[in-house]
Amino acid sequence: MLDVTSNAVDAIRRVLGKGDTAAPAAGLRIMVSAGGCSGYQYRMGLVAAAEQSDTVIDLDDVKVFVDADSAPLLAGARLDFVEDISGSGFVFDNPQAADKCSCGKSFSC
């Protein structure tokens, strides 16, 4: 479904470790929603629990949740975390994307 690189797992682990201890996050939710300059945009956020229809990707001590509507749009995609001179952040390489905007945050199918 979604390949998560070791760099991305490390970044998720760091973010999960900095969460609110009163309401700790269980994992990272990844969604695709309408919007952005190309039609669809990636959305990510920490969540306390998986939704019933989520696909759960268990990566040792890190969990990634993908909602059922987004799963087909993320099939075969790869999530990486890149740090370079221009900044750092999560990057998607998505074979479902026919085109993407220059910032890489949105795509079309």
Side-chain angles (χ1 to χ4, degrees):
M1 131 126 335
L2 175 68
D3 178 37
V4 183
T5 68
S6 60
N7 284 344
V9 170
D10 289 342
I12 296 166
R13 187 177 291 121
R14 286 191 303 267
V15 172
L16 287 171
K18 295 179 184 178
D20 180 3
T21 56
L28 178 72
R29 176 180 306 289
I30 300 176
M31 297 173 52
V32 175
S33 62
C37 49
S38 293
Y40 292 104
Q41 61 187 354
Y42 300 107
R43 300 184 54 143
M44 299 189 298
L46 299 178
V47 294
E51 297 291 326
Q52 186 173 354
S53 63
D54 283 349
T55 297
V56 178
I57 302 169
D58 194 350
L59 305 160
D60 295 323
D61 60 335
V62 171
K63 290 188 179 13
V64 175
F65 309 126
V66 179
D67 73 292
D69 292 335
S70 301
L73 296 169
L74 292 169
R78 180 180 179 156
L79 176 64
D80 196 7
F81 186 83
V82 210
E83 296 179 270
D84 60 25
I85 195 163
S86 63
S88 62
F90 290 100
V91 177
F92 287 89
D93 180 17
N94 189 345
Q96 304 298 321
D99 194 19
K100 65 180 179 178
C101 67
S102 60
C103 70
K105 302 294 183 199
S106 68
F107 65 98
S108 63
C109 291

